[in-house]
PDB file of all heavy atoms in Angstrom:
ATOM      1  N   PRO G   1      66.012  -8.985  -9.002  1.00  0.00           N
ATOM      2  CA  PRO G   1      66.466 -10.255  -8.362  1.00  0.00           C
ATOM      3  C   PRO G   1      65.287 -11.190  -8.056  1.00  0.00           C
ATOM      4  O   PRO G   1      65.394 -12.407  -8.249  1.00  0.00           O
ATOM      5  CB  PRO G   1      67.157  -9.760  -7.087  1.00  0.00           C
ATOM      6  CG  PRO G   1      67.574  -8.372  -7.375  1.00  0.00           C
ATOM      7  CD  PRO G   1      66.508  -7.832  -8.252  1.00  0.00           C
ATOM      8  N   ALA G   2      64.170 -10.607  -7.580  1.00  0.00           N
ATOM      9  CA  ALA G   2      63.003 -11.466  -7.272  1.00  0.00           C
ATOM     10  C   ALA G   2      62.433 -12.073  -8.545  1.00  0.00           C
ATOM     11  O   ALA G   2      62.055 -13.271  -8.546  1.00  0.00           O
ATOM     12  CB  ALA G   2      61.936 -10.617  -6.609  1.00  0.00           C
ATOM     13  N   GLN G   3      62.486 -11.351  -9.643  1.00  0.00           N
ATOM     14  CA  GLN G   3      61.963 -11.852 -10.917  1.00  0.00           C
ATOM     15  C   GLN G   3      62.824 -13.078 -11.348  1.00  0.00           C
ATOM     16  O   GLN G   3      62.280 -14.029 -11.898  1.00  0.00           O
ATOM     17  CB  GLN G   3      62.011 -10.764 -11.988  1.00  0.00           C
ATOM     18  CG  GLN G   3      61.451 -11.238 -13.321  1.00  0.00           C
ATOM     19  CD  GLN G   3      61.652 -10.186 -14.415  1.00  0.00           C
ATOM     20  OE1 GLN G   3      62.691  -9.589 -14.492  1.00  0.00           O
ATOM     21  NE2 GLN G   3      60.638  -9.987 -15.226  1.00  0.00           N
ATOM     22  N   LYS G   4      64.120 -13.051 -11.112  1.00  0.00           N
ATOM     23  CA  LYS G   4      65.004 -14.165 -11.507  1.00  0.00           C
ATOM     24  C   LYS G   4      64.582 -15.429 -10.751  1.00  0.00           C
ATOM     25  O   LYS G   4      64.569 -16.536 -11.350  1.00  0.00           O
ATOM     26  CB  LYS G   4      66.427 -13.855 -11.223  1.00  0.00           C
ATOM     27  CG  LYS G   4      66.973 -12.727 -12.111  1.00  0.00           C
ATOM     28  CD  LYS G   4      68.419 -12.350 -11.746  1.00  0.00           C
ATOM     29  CE  LYS G   4      68.905 -11.195 -12.593  1.00  0.00           C
ATOM     30  NZ  LYS G   4      70.319 -10.820 -12.283  1.00  0.00           N
ATOM     31  N   VAL G   5      64.249 -15.273  -9.467  1.00  0.00           N
ATOM     32  CA  VAL G   5      63.789 -16.455  -8.671  1.00  0.00           C
ATOM     33  C   VAL G   5      62.456 -16.930  -9.185  1.00  0.00           C
ATOM     34  O   VAL G   5      62.229 -18.148  -9.342  1.00  0.00           O
ATOM     35  CB  VAL G   5      63.726 -16.084  -7.185  1.00  0.00           C
ATOM     36  CG1 VAL G   5      63.131 -17.205  -6.336  1.00  0.00           C
ATOM     37  CG2 VAL G   5      65.149 -15.729  -6.644  1.00  0.00           C
ATOM     38  N   ARG G   6      61.530 -16.004  -9.464  1.00  0.00           N
ATOM     39  CA  ARG G   6      60.219 -16.385  -9.945  1.00  0.00           C
ATOM     40  C   ARG G   6      60.313 -17.085 -11.321  1.00  0.00           C
ATOM     41  O   ARG G   6      59.664 -18.119 -11.607  1.00  0.00           O
ATOM     42  CB  ARG G   6      59.297 -15.161 -10.106  1.00  0.00           C
ATOM     43  CG  ARG G   6      58.856 -14.565  -8.782  1.00  0.00           C
ATOM     44  CD  ARG G   6      58.007 -13.363  -9.027  1.00  0.00           C
ATOM     45  NE  ARG G   6      56.742 -13.736  -9.692  1.00  0.00           N
ATOM     46  CZ  ARG G   6      55.584 -13.866  -9.058  1.00  0.00           C
ATOM     47  NH1 ARG G   6      55.519 -13.736  -7.720  1.00  0.00           N
ATOM     48  NH2 ARG G   6      54.512 -14.200  -9.723  1.00  0.00           N
ATOM     49  N   GLU G   7      61.167 -16.562 -12.182  1.00  0.00           N
ATOM     50  CA  GLU G   7      61.310 -17.134 -13.547  1.00  0.00           C
ATOM     51  C   GLU G   7      61.912 -18.534 -13.458  1.00  0.00           C
ATOM     52  O   GLU G   7      61.747 -19.371 -14.382  1.00  0.00           O
ATOM     53  CB  GLU G   7      62.167 -16.251 -14.404  1.00  0.00           C
ATOM     54  CG  GLU G   7      61.465 -14.941 -14.838  1.00  0.00           C
ATOM     55  CD  GLU G   7      60.314 -15.149 -15.758  1.00  0.00           C
ATOM     56  OE1 GLU G   7      60.400 -16.035 -16.619  1.00  0.00           O
ATOM     57  OE2 GLU G   7      59.267 -14.448 -15.599  1.00  0.00           O
ATOM     58  N   ALA G   8      62.616 -18.828 -12.359  1.00  0.00           N
ATOM     59  CA  ALA G   8      63.195 -20.148 -12.158  1.00  0.00           C
ATOM     60  C   ALA G   8      62.169 -21.108 -11.520  1.00  0.00           C
ATOM     61  O   ALA G   8      62.489 -22.263 -11.227  1.00  0.00           O
ATOM     62  CB  ALA G   8      64.437 -20.074 -11.299  1.00  0.00           C
ATOM     63  N   GLY G   9      60.957 -20.589 -11.301  1.00  0.00           N
ATOM     64  CA  GLY G   9      59.849 -21.474 -10.835  1.00  0.00           C
ATOM     65  C   GLY G   9      59.590 -21.443  -9.341  1.00  0.00           C
ATOM     66  O   GLY G   9      58.893 -22.328  -8.853  1.00  0.00           O
ATOM     67  N   ASN G  10      60.087 -20.473  -8.644  1.00  0.00           N
ATOM     68  CA  ASN G  10      59.924 -20.401  -7.210  1.00  0.00           C
ATOM     69  C   ASN G  10      59.329 -19.063  -6.817  1.00  0.00           C
ATOM     70  O   ASN G  10      59.921 -17.990  -7.043  1.00  0.00           O
ATOM     71  CB  ASN G  10      61.289 -20.613  -6.495  1.00  0.00           C
ATOM     72  CG  ASN G  10      61.131 -20.775  -4.974  1.00  0.00           C
ATOM     73  OD1 ASN G  10      60.164 -20.361  -4.385  1.00  0.00           O
ATOM     74  ND2 ASN G  10      62.120 -21.417  -4.391  1.00  0.00           N
ATOM     75  N   GLU G  11      58.161 -19.058  -6.212  1.00  0.00           N
ATOM     76  CA  GLU G  11      57.522 -17.800  -5.772  1.00  0.00           C
ATOM     77  C   GLU G  11      57.584 -17.565  -4.240  1.00  0.00           C
ATOM     78  O   GLU G  11      57.017 -16.624  -3.752  1.00  0.00           O
ATOM     79  CB  GLU G  11      56.041 -17.802  -6.223  1.00  0.00           C
ATOM     80  CG  GLU G  11      55.918 -17.893  -7.742  1.00  0.00           C
ATOM     81  CD  GLU G  11      54.483 -17.645  -8.194  1.00  0.00           C
ATOM     82  OE1 GLU G  11      53.604 -17.457  -7.363  1.00  0.00           O
ATOM     83  OE2 GLU G  11      54.246 -17.739  -9.427  1.00  0.00           O
ATOM     84  N   GLN G  12      58.375 -18.394  -3.595  1.00  0.00           N
ATOM     85  CA  GLN G  12      58.526 -18.253  -2.134  1.00  0.00           C
ATOM     86  C   GLN G  12      59.747 -17.312  -1.867  1.00  0.00           C
ATOM     87  O   GLN G  12      60.863 -17.765  -1.706  1.00  0.00           O
ATOM     88  CB  GLN G  12      58.746 -19.608  -1.495  1.00  0.00           C
ATOM     89  CG  GLN G  12      57.558 -20.548  -1.636  1.00  0.00           C
ATOM     90  CD  GLN G  12      57.794 -21.830  -0.889  1.00  0.00           C
ATOM     91  OE1 GLN G  12      57.226 -22.041   0.189  1.00  0.00           O
ATOM     92  NE2 GLN G  12      58.637 -22.690  -1.388  1.00  0.00           N
ATOM     93  N   ILE G  13      59.473 -16.027  -1.844  1.00  0.00           N
ATOM     94  CA  ILE G  13      60.525 -15.036  -1.804  1.00  0.00           C
ATOM     95  C   ILE G  13      60.333 -14.103  -0.614  1.00  0.00           C
ATOM     96  O   ILE G  13      59.214 -13.618  -0.357  1.00  0.00           O
ATOM     97  CB  ILE G  13      60.547 -14.228  -3.136  1.00  0.00           C
ATOM     98  CG1 ILE G  13      60.819 -15.132  -4.292  1.00  0.00           C
ATOM     99  CG2 ILE G  13      61.568 -13.092  -3.067  1.00  0.00           C
ATOM    100  CD1 ILE G  13      60.499 -14.489  -5.652  1.00  0.00           C
ATOM    101  N   LEU G  14      61.419 -13.816   0.082  1.00  0.00           N
ATOM    102  CA  LEU G  14      61.472 -12.774   1.085  1.00  0.00           C
ATOM    103  C   LEU G  14      62.482 -11.721   0.618  1.00  0.00           C
ATOM    104  O   LEU G  14      63.480 -12.051  -0.014  1.00  0.00           O
ATOM    105  CB  LEU G  14      61.956 -13.280   2.433  1.00  0.00           C
ATOM    106  CG  LEU G  14      61.199 -14.423   3.102  1.00  0.00           C
ATOM    107  CD1 LEU G  14      61.882 -14.891   4.337  1.00  0.00           C
ATOM    108  CD2 LEU G  14      59.734 -14.004   3.423  1.00  0.00           C
ATOM    109  N   LEU G  15      62.214 -10.457   0.881  1.00  0.00           N
ATOM    110  CA  LEU G  15      63.160  -9.384   0.610  1.00  0.00           C
ATOM    111  C   LEU G  15      63.542  -8.709   1.909  1.00  0.00           C
ATOM    112  O   LEU G  15      62.737  -8.493   2.792  1.00  0.00           O
ATOM    113  CB  LEU G  15      62.556  -8.325  -0.307  1.00  0.00           C
ATOM    114  CG  LEU G  15      62.073  -8.829  -1.694  1.00  0.00           C
ATOM    115  CD1 LEU G  15      61.441  -7.705  -2.484  1.00  0.00           C
ATOM    116  CD2 LEU G  15      63.211  -9.443  -2.481  1.00  0.00           C
ATOM    117  N   THR G  16      64.875  -8.476   2.072  1.00  0.00           N
ATOM    118  CA  THR G  16      65.387  -7.950   3.342  1.00  0.00           C
ATOM    119  C   THR G  16      66.060  -6.606   3.119  1.00  0.00           C
ATOM    120  O   THR G  16      66.954  -6.483   2.307  1.00  0.00           O
ATOM    121  CB  THR G  16      66.384  -8.921   3.973  1.00  0.00           C
ATOM    122  OG1 THR G  16      65.659 -10.112   4.354  1.00  0.00           O
ATOM    123  CG2 THR G  16      67.017  -8.349   5.197  1.00  0.00           C
ATOM    124  N   GLU G  17      65.635  -5.629   3.927  1.00  0.00           N
ATOM    125  CA  GLU G  17      66.238  -4.291   3.947  1.00  0.00           C
ATOM    126  C   GLU G  17      67.437  -4.340   4.931  1.00  0.00           C
ATOM    127  O   GLU G  17      67.290  -4.804   6.052  1.00  0.00           O
ATOM    128  CB  GLU G  17      65.235  -3.256   4.375  1.00  0.00           C
ATOM    129  CG  GLU G  17      65.788  -1.890   4.756  1.00  0.00           C
ATOM    130  CD  GLU G  17      66.534  -1.220   3.620  1.00  0.00           C
ATOM    131  OE1 GLU G  17      66.117  -1.412   2.442  1.00  0.00           O
ATOM    132  OE2 GLU G  17      67.474  -0.488   3.914  1.00  0.00           O
ATOM    133  N   ARG G  18      68.607  -3.803   4.490  1.00  0.00           N
ATOM    134  CA  ARG G  18      69.751  -3.806   5.392  1.00  0.00           C
ATOM    135  C   ARG G  18      70.618  -2.557   5.252  1.00  0.00           C
ATOM    136  O   ARG G  18      71.798  -2.512   5.527  1.00  0.00           O
ATOM    137  CB  ARG G  18      70.575  -5.063   5.180  1.00  0.00           C
ATOM    138  CG  ARG G  18      71.058  -5.335   3.769  1.00  0.00           C
ATOM    139  CD  ARG G  18      72.432  -4.861   3.479  1.00  0.00           C
ATOM    140  NE  ARG G  18      73.407  -5.671   4.147  1.00  0.00           N
ATOM    141  CZ  ARG G  18      74.352  -5.210   4.944  1.00  0.00           C
ATOM    142  NH1 ARG G  18      74.406  -3.913   5.243  1.00  0.00           N
ATOM    143  NH2 ARG G  18      75.245  -5.963   5.500  1.00  0.00           N
ATOM    144  N   GLY G  19      69.963  -1.441   4.779  1.00  0.00           N
ATOM    145  CA  GLY G  19      70.671  -0.188   4.714  1.00  0.00           C
ATOM    146  C   GLY G  19      71.276   0.096   3.351  1.00  0.00           C
ATOM    147  O   GLY G  19      71.409  -0.774   2.496  1.00  0.00           O
ATOM    148  N   THR G  20      71.635   1.345   3.171  1.00  0.00           N
ATOM    149  CA  THR G  20      72.200   1.834   1.916  1.00  0.00           C
ATOM    150  C   THR G  20      73.498   2.574   2.197  1.00  0.00           C
ATOM    151  O   THR G  20      73.601   3.337   3.169  1.00  0.00           O
ATOM    152  CB  THR G  20      71.208   2.785   1.205  1.00  0.00           C
ATOM    153  OG1 THR G  20      69.992   2.071   0.985  1.00  0.00           O
ATOM    154  CG2 THR G  20      71.746   3.293  -0.122  1.00  0.00           C
ATOM    155  N   MET G  21      74.498   2.374   1.346  1.00  0.00           N
ATOM    156  CA  MET G  21      75.774   3.064   1.548  1.00  0.00           C
ATOM    157  C   MET G  21      75.580   4.575   1.517  1.00  0.00           C
ATOM    158  O   MET G  21      74.909   5.125   0.642  1.00  0.00           O
ATOM    159  CB  MET G  21      76.772   2.667   0.477  1.00  0.00           C
ATOM    160  CG  MET G  21      77.283   1.243   0.589  1.00  0.00           C
ATOM    161  SD  MET G  21      78.080   0.846   2.208  1.00  0.00           S
ATOM    162  CE  MET G  21      79.411   2.063   2.287  1.00  0.00           C
ATOM    163  N   PHE G  22      76.214   5.263   2.460  1.00  0.00           N
ATOM    164  CA  PHE G  22      76.137   6.701   2.563  1.00  0.00           C
ATOM    165  C   PHE G  22      77.582   7.216   2.758  1.00  0.00           C
ATOM    166  O   PHE G  22      78.054   7.378   3.872  1.00  0.00           O
ATOM    167  CB  PHE G  22      75.267   7.102   3.745  1.00  0.00           C
ATOM    168  CG  PHE G  22      75.020   8.574   3.841  1.00  0.00           C
ATOM    169  CD1 PHE G  22      74.134   9.195   2.924  1.00  0.00           C
ATOM    170  CD2 PHE G  22      75.583   9.351   4.809  1.00  0.00           C
ATOM    171  CE1 PHE G  22      73.893  10.544   3.040  1.00  0.00           C
ATOM    172  CE2 PHE G  22      75.333  10.698   4.920  1.00  0.00           C
ATOM    173  CZ  PHE G  22      74.497  11.335   4.010  1.00  0.00           C
ATOM    174  N   GLY G  23      78.236   7.355   1.641  1.00  0.00           N
ATOM    175  CA  GLY G  23      79.681   7.686   1.713  1.00  0.00           C
ATOM    176  C   GLY G  23      80.462   6.474   2.162  1.00  0.00           C
ATOM    177  O   GLY G  23      80.008   5.325   2.110  1.00  0.00           O
ATOM    178  N   TYR G  24      81.691   6.691   2.673  1.00  0.00           N
ATOM    179  CA  TYR G  24      82.544   5.618   3.103  1.00  0.00           C
ATOM    180  C   TYR G  24      82.185   5.166   4.501  1.00  0.00           C
ATOM    181  O   TYR G  24      81.915   6.003   5.387  1.00  0.00           O
ATOM    182  CB  TYR G  24      84.024   6.063   3.056  1.00  0.00           C
ATOM    183  CG  TYR G  24      84.489   6.458   1.678  1.00  0.00           C
ATOM    184  CD1 TYR G  24      84.870   7.741   1.397  1.00  0.00           C
ATOM    185  CD2 TYR G  24      84.557   5.475   0.676  1.00  0.00           C
ATOM    186  CE1 TYR G  24      85.312   8.124   0.122  1.00  0.00           C
ATOM    187  CE2 TYR G  24      84.975   5.828  -0.607  1.00  0.00           C
ATOM    188  CZ  TYR G  24      85.394   7.140  -0.885  1.00  0.00           C
ATOM    189  OH  TYR G  24      85.819   7.507  -2.129  1.00  0.00           O
ATOM    190  N   ASN G  25      82.249   3.832   4.729  1.00  0.00           N
ATOM    191  CA  ASN G  25      82.189   3.262   6.078  1.00  0.00           C
ATOM    192  C   ASN G  25      80.844   3.620   6.851  1.00  0.00           C
ATOM    193  O   ASN G  25      80.806   3.637   8.052  1.00  0.00           O
ATOM    194  CB  ASN G  25      83.321   3.707   6.956  1.00  0.00           C
ATOM    195  CG  ASN G  25      84.675   3.397   6.345  1.00  0.00           C
ATOM    196  OD1 ASN G  25      85.508   4.306   6.188  1.00  0.00           O
ATOM    197  ND2 ASN G  25      84.860   2.194   5.928  1.00  0.00           N
ATOM    198  N   ASN G  26      79.780   3.874   6.069  1.00  0.00           N
ATOM    199  CA  ASN G  26      78.566   4.262   6.762  1.00  0.00           C
ATOM    200  C   ASN G  26      77.335   3.778   5.974  1.00  0.00           C
ATOM    201  O   ASN G  26      77.364   3.711   4.774  1.00  0.00           O
ATOM    202  CB  ASN G  26      78.459   5.784   6.968  1.00  0.00           C
ATOM    203  CG  ASN G  26      77.583   6.169   8.114  1.00  0.00           C
ATOM    204  OD1 ASN G  26      77.135   5.305   8.876  1.00  0.00           O
ATOM    205  ND2 ASN G  26      77.328   7.460   8.256  1.00  0.00           N
ATOM    206  N   LEU G  27      76.285   3.418   6.713  1.00  0.00           N
ATOM    207  CA  LEU G  27      75.045   3.013   6.128  1.00  0.00           C
ATOM    208  C   LEU G  27      73.934   3.884   6.687  1.00  0.00           C
ATOM    209  O   LEU G  27      74.010   4.343   7.844  1.00  0.00           O
ATOM    210  CB  LEU G  27      74.695   1.579   6.465  1.00  0.00           C
ATOM    211  CG  LEU G  27      75.626   0.466   5.943  1.00  0.00           C
ATOM    212  CD1 LEU G  27      75.218  -0.877   6.594  1.00  0.00           C
ATOM    213  CD2 LEU G  27      75.552   0.374   4.446  1.00  0.00           C
ATOM    214  N   VAL G  28      72.914   4.102   5.892  1.00  0.00           N
ATOM    215  CA  VAL G  28      71.695   4.727   6.360  1.00  0.00           C
ATOM    216  C   VAL G  28      70.537   3.816   5.943  1.00  0.00           C
ATOM    217  O   VAL G  28      70.652   3.030   4.977  1.00  0.00           O
ATOM    218  CB  VAL G  28      71.471   6.160   5.823  1.00  0.00           C
ATOM    219  CG1 VAL G  28      72.538   7.081   6.340  1.00  0.00           C
ATOM    220  CG2 VAL G  28      71.405   6.186   4.324  1.00  0.00           C
ATOM    221  N   VAL G  29      69.409   3.915   6.610  1.00  0.00           N
ATOM    222  CA  VAL G  29      68.227   3.145   6.258  1.00  0.00           C
ATOM    223  C   VAL G  29      67.132   4.103   5.839  1.00  0.00           C
ATOM    224  O   VAL G  29      66.767   5.027   6.597  1.00  0.00           O
ATOM    225  CB  VAL G  29      67.721   2.293   7.443  1.00  0.00           C
ATOM    226  CG1 VAL G  29      66.446   1.550   7.043  1.00  0.00           C
ATOM    227  CG2 VAL G  29      68.794   1.275   7.837  1.00  0.00           C
ATOM    228  N   ASP G  30      66.640   3.932   4.652  1.00  0.00           N
ATOM    229  CA  ASP G  30      65.446   4.623   4.174  1.00  0.00           C
ATOM    230  C   ASP G  30      64.294   3.695   4.393  1.00  0.00           C
ATOM    231  O   ASP G  30      64.084   2.753   3.628  1.00  0.00           O
ATOM    232  CB  ASP G  30      65.601   4.989   2.679  1.00  0.00           C
ATOM    233  CG  ASP G  30      64.413   5.748   2.132  1.00  0.00           C
ATOM    234  OD1 ASP G  30      63.398   5.869   2.853  1.00  0.00           O
ATOM    235  OD2 ASP G  30      64.499   6.257   0.983  1.00  0.00           O
ATOM    236  N   PHE G  31      63.509   3.943   5.448  1.00  0.00           N
ATOM    237  CA  PHE G  31      62.454   3.011   5.834  1.00  0.00           C
ATOM    238  C   PHE G  31      61.344   2.961   4.838  1.00  0.00           C
ATOM    239  O   PHE G  31      60.476   2.076   4.868  1.00  0.00           O
ATOM    240  CB  PHE G  31      61.966   3.326   7.246  1.00  0.00           C
ATOM    241  CG  PHE G  31      62.940   2.904   8.293  1.00  0.00           C
ATOM    242  CD1 PHE G  31      63.841   3.832   8.820  1.00  0.00           C
ATOM    243  CD2 PHE G  31      62.990   1.605   8.747  1.00  0.00           C
ATOM    244  CE1 PHE G  31      64.758   3.465   9.766  1.00  0.00           C
ATOM    245  CE2 PHE G  31      63.911   1.216   9.709  1.00  0.00           C
ATOM    246  CZ  PHE G  31      64.809   2.165  10.251  1.00  0.00           C
ATOM    247  N   ARG G  32      61.308   3.928   3.882  1.00  0.00           N
ATOM    248  CA  ARG G  32      60.305   3.822   2.811  1.00  0.00           C
ATOM    249  C   ARG G  32      60.529   2.606   1.973  1.00  0.00           C
ATOM    250  O   ARG G  32      59.592   2.155   1.286  1.00  0.00           O
ATOM    251  CB  ARG G  32      60.393   5.089   1.941  1.00  0.00           C
ATOM    252  CG  ARG G  32      60.003   6.385   2.624  1.00  0.00           C
ATOM    253  CD  ARG G  32      60.234   7.580   1.775  1.00  0.00           C
ATOM    254  NE  ARG G  32      61.663   7.765   1.456  1.00  0.00           N
ATOM    255  CZ  ARG G  32      62.127   8.758   0.693  1.00  0.00           C
ATOM    256  NH1 ARG G  32      61.328   9.659   0.225  1.00  0.00           N
ATOM    257  NH2 ARG G  32      63.437   8.801   0.442  1.00  0.00           N
TER     258      ARG G  32
END
C-alpha cells in the first residue's frame, strides 16, 4: 500500500497498527 502512494508521487506516509483478527469478534496486537 505504501508503494502505491509513493509511485503516485507522494512520500509523506504514515502507517498505523490497529490489531489483527484473531478468530471471530476479536483482535490481538502483535507489537512487533
Side-chain angles (χ1 to χ4, degrees):
Q3 183 186 42
K4 293 176 182 180
V5 174
R6 290 179 65 99
E7 290 293 322
N10 190 337
E11 298 188 1
Q12 298 185 104
I13 298 167
L14 303 175
L15 300 179
T16 293
E17 167 61 33
R18 55 95 73 236
T20 301
M21 289 303 301
F22 187 72
Y24 299 114
N25 305 128
N26 205 8
L27 297 172
V28 296
V29 176
D30 182 350
F31 286 96
R32 295 174 297 181

